[in-house]
Short mmCIF file of all heavy atoms in Angstrom, two decimals:
data_model
loop_
_atom_site.label_atom_id
_atom_site.label_comp_id
_atom_site.label_asym_id
_atom_site.label_seq_id
_atom_site.Cartn_x
_atom_site.Cartn_y
_atom_site.Cartn_z
N MET A 1 55.61 -68.24 -116.65
CA MET A 1 56.22 -67.97 -115.40
C MET A 1 56.04 -66.51 -115.09
O MET A 1 56.19 -65.65 -115.99
CB MET A 1 57.72 -68.31 -115.53
CG MET A 1 58.49 -68.22 -114.23
SD MET A 1 60.23 -68.72 -114.34
CE MET A 1 60.18 -70.25 -115.13
N ASP A 2 55.66 -66.18 -113.82
CA ASP A 2 55.43 -64.78 -113.52
C ASP A 2 56.71 -64.05 -113.26
O ASP A 2 57.77 -64.61 -113.01
CB ASP A 2 54.43 -64.71 -112.32
CG ASP A 2 55.05 -65.11 -111.03
OD1 ASP A 2 55.94 -64.46 -110.52
OD2 ASP A 2 54.59 -66.20 -110.52
N ILE A 3 56.58 -62.76 -113.28
CA ILE A 3 57.74 -61.82 -113.21
C ILE A 3 58.47 -61.96 -111.86
O ILE A 3 59.67 -61.86 -111.82
CB ILE A 3 57.29 -60.40 -113.50
CG1 ILE A 3 58.50 -59.56 -114.03
CG2 ILE A 3 56.69 -59.70 -112.34
CD1 ILE A 3 58.65 -59.66 -115.49
N PHE A 4 57.73 -62.17 -110.77
CA PHE A 4 58.36 -62.29 -109.44
C PHE A 4 59.18 -63.55 -109.31
O PHE A 4 60.23 -63.58 -108.71
CB PHE A 4 57.27 -62.19 -108.40
CG PHE A 4 56.52 -60.86 -108.38
CD1 PHE A 4 55.22 -60.83 -108.82
CD2 PHE A 4 57.14 -59.68 -108.02
CE1 PHE A 4 54.53 -59.62 -108.87
CE2 PHE A 4 56.48 -58.47 -108.05
CZ PHE A 4 55.17 -58.45 -108.49
N THR A 5 58.71 -64.64 -109.92
CA THR A 5 59.43 -65.93 -109.87
C THR A 5 60.70 -65.67 -110.63
O THR A 5 61.82 -66.16 -110.24
CB THR A 5 58.55 -67.01 -110.48
OG1 THR A 5 57.32 -67.18 -109.73
CG2 THR A 5 59.33 -68.31 -110.49
N LEU A 6 60.60 -65.07 -111.84
CA LEU A 6 61.79 -64.79 -112.65
C LEU A 6 62.83 -63.97 -111.88
O LEU A 6 64.03 -64.25 -111.93
CB LEU A 6 61.42 -64.13 -113.95
CG LEU A 6 60.89 -65.05 -115.09
CD1 LEU A 6 60.34 -64.20 -116.22
CD2 LEU A 6 61.98 -65.96 -115.55
N GLU A 7 62.39 -62.93 -111.22
CA GLU A 7 63.27 -62.07 -110.46
C GLU A 7 64.00 -62.92 -109.44
O GLU A 7 65.25 -62.74 -109.24
CB GLU A 7 62.52 -60.90 -109.84
CG GLU A 7 62.08 -59.88 -110.84
CD GLU A 7 61.21 -58.75 -110.18
OE1 GLU A 7 60.76 -58.96 -109.04
OE2 GLU A 7 60.95 -57.81 -110.93
N HIS A 8 63.32 -63.79 -108.75
CA HIS A 8 63.87 -64.62 -107.69
C HIS A 8 64.91 -65.58 -108.34
O HIS A 8 66.07 -65.68 -107.83
CB HIS A 8 62.80 -65.36 -107.03
CG HIS A 8 63.33 -66.38 -105.95
ND1 HIS A 8 63.85 -65.97 -104.81
CD2 HIS A 8 63.48 -67.71 -106.00
CE1 HIS A 8 64.23 -67.01 -104.08
NE2 HIS A 8 64.03 -68.12 -104.77
N LEU A 9 64.55 -66.19 -109.46
CA LEU A 9 65.52 -67.10 -110.11
C LEU A 9 66.72 -66.39 -110.64
O LEU A 9 67.88 -66.89 -110.56
CB LEU A 9 64.83 -67.83 -111.31
CG LEU A 9 63.73 -68.82 -110.90
CD1 LEU A 9 63.00 -69.29 -112.15
CD2 LEU A 9 64.27 -69.98 -110.11
N ILE A 10 66.58 -65.17 -111.14
CA ILE A 10 67.72 -64.41 -111.59
C ILE A 10 68.63 -64.02 -110.46
O ILE A 10 69.88 -64.18 -110.57
CB ILE A 10 67.24 -63.08 -112.32
CG1 ILE A 10 66.61 -63.49 -113.67
CG2 ILE A 10 68.34 -62.10 -112.49
CD1 ILE A 10 65.85 -62.39 -114.33
N LYS A 11 68.15 -63.67 -109.32
CA LYS A 11 68.96 -63.33 -108.15
C LYS A 11 69.72 -64.59 -107.69
O LYS A 11 70.90 -64.49 -107.38
CB LYS A 11 68.09 -62.80 -106.97
CG LYS A 11 67.64 -61.38 -107.22
CD LYS A 11 66.73 -60.93 -106.09
CE LYS A 11 66.23 -59.59 -106.40
NZ LYS A 11 65.27 -59.09 -105.36
N GLU A 12 69.07 -65.72 -107.66
CA GLU A 12 69.75 -66.93 -107.27
C GLU A 12 70.84 -67.34 -108.29
O GLU A 12 71.94 -67.70 -107.86
CB GLU A 12 68.73 -68.11 -107.14
CG GLU A 12 67.87 -68.06 -105.91
CD GLU A 12 67.00 -69.27 -105.80
OE1 GLU A 12 66.78 -69.99 -106.85
OE2 GLU A 12 66.43 -69.50 -104.73
N LYS A 13 70.56 -67.16 -109.56
CA LYS A 13 71.50 -67.56 -110.57
C LYS A 13 72.74 -66.62 -110.55
O LYS A 13 73.86 -67.05 -110.75
CB LYS A 13 70.84 -67.56 -111.97
CG LYS A 13 71.68 -68.10 -113.06
CD LYS A 13 72.12 -69.53 -112.82
CE LYS A 13 71.04 -70.50 -112.92
NZ LYS A 13 71.51 -71.97 -112.87
N LYS A 14 72.47 -65.33 -110.30
CA LYS A 14 73.58 -64.36 -110.17
C LYS A 14 74.57 -64.78 -109.02
O LYS A 14 75.78 -64.76 -109.18
CB LYS A 14 73.05 -62.96 -109.94
CG LYS A 14 72.62 -62.26 -111.14
CD LYS A 14 72.13 -60.89 -110.74
CE LYS A 14 71.62 -60.10 -111.97
NZ LYS A 14 71.19 -58.76 -111.56
N ALA A 15 73.96 -65.12 -107.92
CA ALA A 15 74.82 -65.54 -106.73
C ALA A 15 75.55 -66.81 -107.06
O ALA A 15 76.74 -66.95 -106.74
CB ALA A 15 73.93 -65.78 -105.51
N GLN A 16 74.88 -67.76 -107.74
CA GLN A 16 75.55 -69.00 -108.14
C GLN A 16 76.68 -68.70 -109.10
O GLN A 16 77.76 -69.32 -109.00
CB GLN A 16 74.49 -69.94 -108.82
CG GLN A 16 75.08 -71.24 -109.21
CD GLN A 16 74.05 -72.10 -109.93
OE1 GLN A 16 72.95 -71.67 -110.29
NE2 GLN A 16 74.38 -73.38 -110.14
N LEU A 17 76.47 -67.79 -110.04
CA LEU A 17 77.45 -67.42 -111.02
C LEU A 17 78.70 -66.83 -110.33
O LEU A 17 79.85 -67.20 -110.66
CB LEU A 17 76.92 -66.48 -112.06
CG LEU A 17 77.87 -65.96 -113.16
CD1 LEU A 17 78.47 -67.15 -113.94
CD2 LEU A 17 77.15 -65.00 -114.06
N LEU A 18 78.53 -65.97 -109.39
CA LEU A 18 79.58 -65.40 -108.65
C LEU A 18 80.45 -66.48 -107.92
O LEU A 18 81.66 -66.44 -107.93
CB LEU A 18 79.08 -64.35 -107.64
CG LEU A 18 78.57 -63.01 -108.29
CD1 LEU A 18 77.90 -62.16 -107.19
CD2 LEU A 18 79.73 -62.26 -108.97
N ASN A 19 79.73 -67.36 -107.24
CA ASN A 19 80.43 -68.44 -106.53
C ASN A 19 81.21 -69.35 -107.45
O ASN A 19 82.35 -69.65 -107.16
CB ASN A 19 79.42 -69.29 -105.74
CG ASN A 19 78.85 -68.55 -104.54
OD1 ASN A 19 79.51 -67.62 -104.01
ND2 ASN A 19 77.60 -68.85 -104.17
N ILE A 20 80.63 -69.73 -108.57
CA ILE A 20 81.28 -70.63 -109.49
C ILE A 20 82.49 -69.88 -110.13
O ILE A 20 83.56 -70.45 -110.30
CB ILE A 20 80.33 -71.12 -110.63
CG1 ILE A 20 79.29 -72.06 -109.99
CG2 ILE A 20 81.06 -71.78 -111.75
CD1 ILE A 20 78.15 -72.40 -110.91
N GLY A 21 82.28 -68.61 -110.47
CA GLY A 21 83.42 -67.79 -111.08
C GLY A 21 84.58 -67.64 -110.15
O GLY A 21 85.69 -67.78 -110.57
N GLU A 22 84.28 -67.45 -108.90
CA GLU A 22 85.36 -67.35 -107.90
C GLU A 22 86.07 -68.65 -107.66
O GLU A 22 87.29 -68.71 -107.46
CB GLU A 22 84.84 -66.84 -106.55
CG GLU A 22 84.43 -65.36 -106.59
CD GLU A 22 83.80 -64.89 -105.25
OE1 GLU A 22 83.58 -65.73 -104.40
OE2 GLU A 22 83.51 -63.66 -105.15
N ARG A 23 85.33 -69.72 -107.73
CA ARG A 23 85.91 -71.03 -107.43
C ARG A 23 86.67 -71.60 -108.61
O ARG A 23 87.78 -72.13 -108.43
CB ARG A 23 84.77 -72.03 -107.06
CG ARG A 23 85.29 -73.39 -106.74
CD ARG A 23 84.21 -74.25 -106.19
NE ARG A 23 84.79 -75.56 -105.80
CZ ARG A 23 84.08 -76.57 -105.36
NH1 ARG A 23 82.77 -76.46 -105.23
NH2 ARG A 23 84.66 -77.67 -105.09
N TYR A 24 86.15 -71.48 -109.83
CA TYR A 24 86.69 -72.11 -111.02
C TYR A 24 87.37 -71.15 -111.96
O TYR A 24 88.14 -71.60 -112.86
CB TYR A 24 85.66 -72.93 -111.73
CG TYR A 24 85.08 -74.07 -111.01
CD1 TYR A 24 83.87 -73.99 -110.34
CD2 TYR A 24 85.81 -75.22 -110.89
CE1 TYR A 24 83.39 -75.06 -109.63
CE2 TYR A 24 85.26 -76.34 -110.18
CZ TYR A 24 84.09 -76.23 -109.54
OH TYR A 24 83.54 -77.31 -108.86
N GLY A 25 87.10 -69.84 -111.86
CA GLY A 25 87.66 -68.89 -112.79
C GLY A 25 86.63 -68.57 -113.86
O GLY A 25 85.64 -69.30 -114.06
N LEU A 26 86.80 -67.39 -114.53
CA LEU A 26 85.81 -66.96 -115.41
C LEU A 26 85.73 -67.74 -116.73
O LEU A 26 84.73 -67.66 -117.46
CB LEU A 26 86.04 -65.45 -115.74
CG LEU A 26 85.96 -64.55 -114.56
CD1 LEU A 26 86.28 -63.09 -114.90
CD2 LEU A 26 84.59 -64.65 -113.90
N ASN A 27 86.83 -68.40 -117.10
CA ASN A 27 86.84 -69.12 -118.40
C ASN A 27 86.47 -70.62 -118.28
O ASN A 27 86.44 -71.34 -119.26
CB ASN A 27 88.19 -68.94 -119.08
CG ASN A 27 88.46 -67.52 -119.54
OD1 ASN A 27 87.55 -66.84 -119.97
ND2 ASN A 27 89.68 -67.05 -119.33
N HIS A 28 86.20 -71.07 -117.09
CA HIS A 28 85.80 -72.45 -116.89
C HIS A 28 84.48 -72.77 -117.48
O HIS A 28 83.59 -71.95 -117.49
CB HIS A 28 85.82 -72.78 -115.40
CG HIS A 28 85.88 -74.25 -115.10
ND1 HIS A 28 84.69 -74.96 -115.05
CD2 HIS A 28 86.86 -75.11 -114.81
CE1 HIS A 28 85.04 -76.29 -114.76
NE2 HIS A 28 86.32 -76.32 -114.67
N ARG A 29 84.33 -74.03 -117.96
CA ARG A 29 83.04 -74.35 -118.65
C ARG A 29 81.87 -74.24 -117.69
O ARG A 29 80.73 -73.92 -118.15
CB ARG A 29 83.15 -75.78 -119.24
CG ARG A 29 83.33 -76.90 -118.23
CD ARG A 29 83.35 -78.28 -118.86
NE ARG A 29 83.60 -79.28 -117.86
CZ ARG A 29 82.66 -79.75 -117.04
NH1 ARG A 29 81.43 -79.29 -117.09
NH2 ARG A 29 82.99 -80.65 -116.13
N LYS A 30 82.05 -74.54 -116.38
CA LYS A 30 80.93 -74.42 -115.48
C LYS A 30 80.46 -72.99 -115.29
O LYS A 30 79.32 -72.67 -115.20
CB LYS A 30 81.35 -74.97 -114.06
CG LYS A 30 81.47 -76.43 -114.07
CD LYS A 30 81.82 -76.94 -112.66
CE LYS A 30 81.99 -78.43 -112.66
NZ LYS A 30 82.18 -78.96 -111.29
N THR A 31 81.46 -72.03 -115.31
CA THR A 31 81.11 -70.63 -115.22
C THR A 31 80.38 -70.16 -116.46
O THR A 31 79.35 -69.42 -116.39
CB THR A 31 82.38 -69.78 -115.01
OG1 THR A 31 83.18 -70.33 -113.90
CG2 THR A 31 82.06 -68.30 -114.72
N ILE A 32 80.90 -70.59 -117.59
CA ILE A 32 80.28 -70.20 -118.88
C ILE A 32 78.83 -70.75 -119.01
O ILE A 32 77.91 -70.07 -119.38
CB ILE A 32 81.14 -70.61 -120.07
CG1 ILE A 32 82.45 -69.81 -120.05
CG2 ILE A 32 80.41 -70.42 -121.37
CD1 ILE A 32 83.51 -70.33 -120.97
N GLN A 33 78.65 -72.02 -118.58
CA GLN A 33 77.35 -72.59 -118.59
C GLN A 33 76.36 -71.81 -117.72
O GLN A 33 75.24 -71.58 -118.08
CB GLN A 33 77.40 -74.06 -118.20
CG GLN A 33 76.08 -74.77 -118.22
CD GLN A 33 76.15 -76.23 -117.83
OE1 GLN A 33 77.20 -76.74 -117.64
NE2 GLN A 33 75.00 -76.84 -117.64
N CYS A 34 76.81 -71.54 -116.49
CA CYS A 34 75.96 -70.79 -115.55
C CYS A 34 75.63 -69.42 -116.12
O CYS A 34 74.49 -68.95 -115.97
CB CYS A 34 76.67 -70.71 -114.23
SG CYS A 34 75.59 -69.96 -112.95
N SER A 35 76.62 -68.76 -116.73
CA SER A 35 76.38 -67.46 -117.34
C SER A 35 75.32 -67.56 -118.48
O SER A 35 74.51 -66.67 -118.58
CB SER A 35 77.71 -66.89 -117.91
OG SER A 35 77.48 -65.69 -118.53
N GLN A 36 75.38 -68.59 -119.23
CA GLN A 36 74.45 -68.81 -120.33
C GLN A 36 73.03 -69.02 -119.75
O GLN A 36 72.01 -68.55 -120.33
CB GLN A 36 74.85 -69.90 -121.26
CG GLN A 36 76.09 -69.58 -122.02
CD GLN A 36 76.65 -70.74 -122.84
OE1 GLN A 36 76.36 -71.92 -122.55
NE2 GLN A 36 77.45 -70.41 -123.81
N GLU A 37 72.96 -69.76 -118.65
CA GLU A 37 71.65 -69.98 -118.02
C GLU A 37 71.09 -68.68 -117.51
O GLU A 37 69.86 -68.45 -117.55
CB GLU A 37 71.81 -71.02 -116.89
CG GLU A 37 72.12 -72.38 -117.38
CD GLU A 37 72.58 -73.34 -116.27
OE1 GLU A 37 72.56 -72.97 -115.06
OE2 GLU A 37 72.85 -74.50 -116.57
N LEU A 38 71.96 -67.82 -116.89
CA LEU A 38 71.49 -66.51 -116.45
C LEU A 38 71.03 -65.67 -117.64
O LEU A 38 70.02 -64.99 -117.52
CB LEU A 38 72.62 -65.80 -115.72
CG LEU A 38 72.38 -64.41 -115.28
CD1 LEU A 38 71.16 -64.31 -114.35
CD2 LEU A 38 73.61 -63.80 -114.64
N ASP A 39 71.75 -65.75 -118.75
CA ASP A 39 71.32 -65.04 -119.95
C ASP A 39 69.95 -65.45 -120.41
O ASP A 39 69.09 -64.61 -120.75
CB ASP A 39 72.33 -65.29 -121.12
CG ASP A 39 73.66 -64.57 -120.96
OD1 ASP A 39 73.73 -63.64 -120.09
OD2 ASP A 39 74.63 -64.97 -121.66
N GLN A 40 69.69 -66.75 -120.33
CA GLN A 40 68.34 -67.23 -120.73
C GLN A 40 67.27 -66.66 -119.81
O GLN A 40 66.18 -66.30 -120.29
CB GLN A 40 68.31 -68.79 -120.76
CG GLN A 40 69.16 -69.38 -121.85
CD GLN A 40 69.22 -70.87 -121.77
OE1 GLN A 40 68.82 -71.47 -120.76
NE2 GLN A 40 69.66 -71.47 -122.78
N LEU A 41 67.51 -66.65 -118.50
CA LEU A 41 66.60 -66.09 -117.58
C LEU A 41 66.31 -64.60 -117.79
O LEU A 41 65.23 -64.13 -117.79
CB LEU A 41 67.06 -66.34 -116.14
CG LEU A 41 66.94 -67.72 -115.62
CD1 LEU A 41 67.67 -67.88 -114.20
CD2 LEU A 41 65.50 -68.21 -115.49
N LEU A 42 67.45 -63.91 -118.09
CA LEU A 42 67.29 -62.46 -118.35
C LEU A 42 66.49 -62.21 -119.60
O LEU A 42 65.69 -61.29 -119.65
CB LEU A 42 68.72 -61.84 -118.38
CG LEU A 42 69.43 -61.72 -117.05
CD1 LEU A 42 70.90 -61.36 -117.28
CD2 LEU A 42 68.74 -60.79 -116.10
N ASN A 43 66.76 -63.03 -120.64
CA ASN A 43 66.00 -62.84 -121.90
C ASN A 43 64.55 -63.12 -121.66
O ASN A 43 63.68 -62.32 -122.22
CB ASN A 43 66.55 -63.77 -122.95
CG ASN A 43 67.89 -63.36 -123.53
OD1 ASN A 43 68.27 -62.21 -123.43
ND2 ASN A 43 68.65 -64.29 -124.04
N LEU A 44 64.22 -64.10 -120.93
CA LEU A 44 62.83 -64.48 -120.62
C LEU A 44 62.22 -63.31 -119.80
O LEU A 44 61.04 -62.89 -120.07
CB LEU A 44 62.78 -65.73 -119.85
CG LEU A 44 61.45 -66.33 -119.58
CD1 LEU A 44 60.65 -66.59 -120.90
CD2 LEU A 44 61.56 -67.68 -118.83
N TYR A 45 62.97 -62.75 -118.85
CA TYR A 45 62.48 -61.64 -118.06
C TYR A 45 62.19 -60.40 -118.94
O TYR A 45 61.10 -59.78 -118.79
CB TYR A 45 63.51 -61.27 -116.98
CG TYR A 45 63.16 -60.11 -116.10
CD1 TYR A 45 62.32 -60.34 -115.00
CD2 TYR A 45 63.60 -58.84 -116.32
CE1 TYR A 45 61.98 -59.30 -114.15
CE2 TYR A 45 63.25 -57.86 -115.49
CZ TYR A 45 62.44 -58.05 -114.42
OH TYR A 45 62.01 -57.02 -113.60
N MET A 46 63.09 -60.09 -119.80
CA MET A 46 62.95 -58.96 -120.74
C MET A 46 61.67 -59.14 -121.63
O MET A 46 60.93 -58.25 -121.85
CB MET A 46 64.09 -58.72 -121.56
CG MET A 46 65.34 -58.21 -120.78
SD MET A 46 65.02 -56.73 -119.76
CE MET A 46 64.79 -55.55 -121.06
N LYS A 47 61.51 -60.39 -122.13
CA LYS A 47 60.35 -60.70 -122.92
C LYS A 47 59.05 -60.49 -122.15
O LYS A 47 58.09 -59.93 -122.62
CB LYS A 47 60.44 -62.16 -123.49
CG LYS A 47 59.33 -62.52 -124.44
CD LYS A 47 59.62 -63.95 -124.90
CE LYS A 47 58.46 -64.33 -125.81
NZ LYS A 47 58.63 -65.74 -126.29
N GLU A 48 59.06 -60.98 -120.91
CA GLU A 48 57.92 -60.84 -120.07
C GLU A 48 57.60 -59.42 -119.74
O GLU A 48 56.44 -58.97 -119.78
CB GLU A 48 58.10 -61.67 -118.77
CG GLU A 48 56.90 -61.76 -117.91
CD GLU A 48 55.73 -62.50 -118.53
OE1 GLU A 48 55.92 -63.43 -119.34
OE2 GLU A 48 54.59 -62.17 -118.19
N GLN A 49 58.64 -58.66 -119.46
CA GLN A 49 58.49 -57.22 -119.23
C GLN A 49 57.90 -56.47 -120.39
O GLN A 49 57.00 -55.63 -120.26
CB GLN A 49 59.87 -56.57 -118.88
CG GLN A 49 60.36 -56.83 -117.52
CD GLN A 49 59.76 -56.00 -116.46
OE1 GLN A 49 58.61 -56.16 -116.10
NE2 GLN A 49 60.51 -55.03 -115.98
N ASN A 50 58.35 -56.82 -121.55
CA ASN A 50 57.88 -56.22 -122.79
C ASN A 50 56.42 -56.58 -123.05
O ASN A 50 55.59 -55.78 -123.45
CB ASN A 50 58.80 -56.65 -123.99
CG ASN A 50 58.87 -55.63 -125.05
OD1 ASN A 50 58.53 -54.48 -124.79
ND2 ASN A 50 59.32 -56.02 -126.22
N THR A 51 56.11 -57.82 -122.78
CA THR A 51 54.71 -58.30 -122.98
C THR A 51 53.75 -57.54 -122.01
O THR A 51 52.68 -57.09 -122.41
CB THR A 51 54.59 -59.82 -122.66
OG1 THR A 51 55.45 -60.49 -123.58
CG2 THR A 51 53.19 -60.34 -122.89
N VAL A 52 54.18 -57.43 -120.76
CA VAL A 52 53.35 -56.71 -119.77
C VAL A 52 53.24 -55.24 -120.16
O VAL A 52 52.17 -54.61 -120.12
CB VAL A 52 53.94 -56.86 -118.38
CG1 VAL A 52 53.29 -55.90 -117.33
CG2 VAL A 52 53.88 -58.25 -117.86
N ALA A 53 54.32 -54.62 -120.55
CA ALA A 53 54.29 -53.21 -120.97
C ALA A 53 53.41 -52.94 -122.15
O ALA A 53 52.70 -51.95 -122.20
CB ALA A 53 55.73 -52.71 -121.25
N HIS A 54 53.37 -53.85 -123.08
CA HIS A 54 52.61 -53.67 -124.32
C HIS A 54 51.16 -54.05 -124.14
O HIS A 54 50.30 -53.72 -124.92
CB HIS A 54 53.18 -54.45 -125.47
CG HIS A 54 54.44 -53.83 -126.05
ND1 HIS A 54 54.35 -52.75 -126.89
CD2 HIS A 54 55.76 -54.07 -125.88
CE1 HIS A 54 55.60 -52.38 -127.26
NE2 HIS A 54 56.42 -53.16 -126.64
N ALA A 55 50.88 -54.77 -123.09
CA ALA A 55 49.46 -55.26 -122.93
C ALA A 55 48.47 -54.12 -122.69
O ALA A 55 47.32 -54.27 -123.12
CB ALA A 55 49.43 -56.22 -121.70
N ASN A 56 48.92 -53.03 -122.12
CA ASN A 56 48.01 -51.95 -121.84
C ASN A 56 48.07 -50.79 -122.86
O ASN A 56 47.40 -49.75 -122.63
CB ASN A 56 48.26 -51.37 -120.45
CG ASN A 56 48.00 -52.48 -119.40
OD1 ASN A 56 47.06 -53.21 -119.49
ND2 ASN A 56 48.84 -52.48 -118.37
N LEU A 57 48.81 -51.02 -123.89
CA LEU A 57 48.91 -49.96 -124.92
C LEU A 57 47.90 -50.11 -126.01
O LEU A 57 47.49 -51.23 -126.32
CB LEU A 57 50.29 -49.98 -125.57
CG LEU A 57 51.49 -49.63 -124.63
CD1 LEU A 57 52.79 -49.82 -125.40
CD2 LEU A 57 51.43 -48.23 -124.10
N PRO A 58 47.45 -49.03 -126.58
CA PRO A 58 46.53 -49.16 -127.68
C PRO A 58 47.29 -49.72 -128.94
O PRO A 58 48.48 -49.69 -129.00
CB PRO A 58 46.12 -47.68 -128.00
CG PRO A 58 47.03 -46.81 -127.27
CD PRO A 58 47.72 -47.67 -126.19
N ARG A 59 46.50 -50.29 -129.80
CA ARG A 59 47.04 -50.85 -131.06
C ARG A 59 47.84 -49.75 -131.85
O ARG A 59 47.54 -48.54 -131.74
CB ARG A 59 45.94 -51.31 -131.96
CG ARG A 59 45.80 -52.79 -132.02
CD ARG A 59 44.86 -53.14 -133.00
NE ARG A 59 44.97 -54.59 -133.20
CZ ARG A 59 44.10 -55.27 -133.89
NH1 ARG A 59 43.12 -54.67 -134.48
NH2 ARG A 59 44.29 -56.57 -133.96
N ASN A 60 48.88 -50.18 -132.54
CA ASN A 60 49.65 -49.27 -133.42
C ASN A 60 50.50 -48.28 -132.51
O ASN A 60 50.94 -47.26 -133.08
CB ASN A 60 48.84 -48.49 -134.37
CG ASN A 60 48.11 -49.43 -135.30
OD1 ASN A 60 48.62 -50.55 -135.63
ND2 ASN A 60 46.90 -49.06 -135.74
N TYR A 61 50.61 -48.53 -131.25
CA TYR A 61 51.49 -47.67 -130.46
C TYR A 61 52.95 -48.01 -130.74
O TYR A 61 53.29 -49.12 -130.98
CB TYR A 61 51.20 -47.88 -128.91
CG TYR A 61 51.69 -46.81 -128.02
CD1 TYR A 61 50.92 -45.67 -127.87
CD2 TYR A 61 52.91 -46.93 -127.39
CE1 TYR A 61 51.35 -44.64 -126.98
CE2 TYR A 61 53.36 -45.88 -126.54
CZ TYR A 61 52.56 -44.74 -126.34
OH TYR A 61 53.03 -43.78 -125.54
N PRO A 62 53.81 -46.97 -130.76
CA PRO A 62 55.23 -47.21 -131.09
C PRO A 62 55.86 -48.16 -130.06
O PRO A 62 55.45 -48.19 -128.91
CB PRO A 62 55.85 -45.84 -131.09
CG PRO A 62 54.85 -44.92 -130.63
CD PRO A 62 53.56 -45.57 -130.53
N PRO A 63 56.90 -48.90 -130.46
CA PRO A 63 57.56 -49.84 -129.53
C PRO A 63 58.17 -49.13 -128.33
O PRO A 63 58.57 -47.96 -128.39
CB PRO A 63 58.62 -50.47 -130.34
CG PRO A 63 58.56 -49.98 -131.70
CD PRO A 63 57.49 -48.88 -131.74
N ILE A 64 58.25 -49.81 -127.25
CA ILE A 64 58.89 -49.33 -125.99
C ILE A 64 60.29 -49.84 -125.94
O ILE A 64 60.56 -51.01 -126.13
CB ILE A 64 58.07 -49.76 -124.76
CG1 ILE A 64 56.65 -49.23 -124.75
CG2 ILE A 64 58.85 -49.48 -123.51
CD1 ILE A 64 55.86 -49.74 -123.61
N TYR A 65 61.25 -48.96 -125.71
CA TYR A 65 62.60 -49.36 -125.55
C TYR A 65 63.06 -48.84 -124.18
O TYR A 65 62.98 -47.67 -123.87
CB TYR A 65 63.47 -48.73 -126.68
CG TYR A 65 63.07 -49.20 -128.01
CD1 TYR A 65 62.35 -48.42 -128.88
CD2 TYR A 65 63.45 -50.51 -128.44
CE1 TYR A 65 61.98 -48.84 -130.11
CE2 TYR A 65 63.09 -50.99 -129.69
CZ TYR A 65 62.36 -50.11 -130.55
OH TYR A 65 61.93 -50.59 -131.73
N ASP A 66 63.58 -49.74 -123.41
CA ASP A 66 64.07 -49.39 -122.10
C ASP A 66 65.53 -49.83 -121.96
O ASP A 66 65.83 -51.01 -121.92
CB ASP A 66 63.24 -50.13 -121.02
CG ASP A 66 63.63 -49.68 -119.61
OD1 ASP A 66 64.46 -48.82 -119.44
OD2 ASP A 66 63.04 -50.26 -118.69
N PHE A 67 66.48 -48.91 -121.97
CA PHE A 67 67.88 -49.27 -121.99
C PHE A 67 68.51 -48.92 -120.70
O PHE A 67 69.64 -48.40 -120.62
CB PHE A 67 68.59 -48.48 -123.12
CG PHE A 67 68.12 -48.90 -124.49
CD1 PHE A 67 67.28 -48.02 -125.21
CD2 PHE A 67 68.44 -50.07 -125.02
CE1 PHE A 67 66.83 -48.39 -126.48
CE2 PHE A 67 68.02 -50.47 -126.30
CZ PHE A 67 67.14 -49.57 -127.02
N ARG A 68 67.83 -49.28 -119.58
CA ARG A 68 68.43 -49.04 -118.28
C ARG A 68 69.63 -49.89 -118.01
O ARG A 68 69.86 -50.93 -118.34
CB ARG A 68 67.42 -49.34 -117.16
CG ARG A 68 66.44 -48.25 -117.07
CD ARG A 68 65.51 -48.49 -115.90
NE ARG A 68 64.20 -48.69 -116.42
CZ ARG A 68 63.20 -49.22 -115.85
NH1 ARG A 68 63.32 -49.73 -114.67
NH2 ARG A 68 62.02 -49.37 -116.40
#
């Protein structure tokens, strides 16, 4: 999955999470499930970002850490 598609899916999932959280509360199973789905998308996004960032580096280059 490309980075732009992931960004779009993340934005949609964030909006969905806010709506579900407001409707059912933060501790409801639907909210928690949606939050976990967002976590999976974010993890995939970070993995993709890391892969792209490392693709252009020479071998044995130190790891990149981005804590924004």
Side-chain angles (χ1 to χ4, degrees):
M1 188 176 308
D2 69 69
I3 206 86
F4 299 108
T5 302
L6 278 171
E7 288 174 350
H8 177 73
L9 292 173
I10 288 168
K11 287 178 185 177
E12 285 184 344
K13 189 58 71 173
K14 282 182 179 180
Q16 183 182 10
L17 179 59
L18 289 172
N19 288 334
I20 292 172
E22 288 175 355
R23 183 173 183 184
Y24 296 100
L26 298 179
N27 293 321
H28 194 276
R29 65 177 177 78
K30 289 183 179 184
T31 308
I32 293 168
Q33 180 180 351
C34 187
S35 176
Q36 290 171 343
E37 292 169 2
L38 176 59
D39 288 344
Q40 290 174 348
L41 288 171
L42 290 169
N43 288 337
L44 189 57
Y45 180 83
M46 294 303 293
K47 183 178 179 182
E48 188 65 29
Q49 285 280 74
N50 211 14
T51 301
V52 169
H54 283 282
N56 297 322
L57 295 176
R59 256 187 168 170
N60 301 327
Y61 197 83
I64 296 174
Y65 298 103
D66 186 3
F67 296 107
R68 286 186 241 163

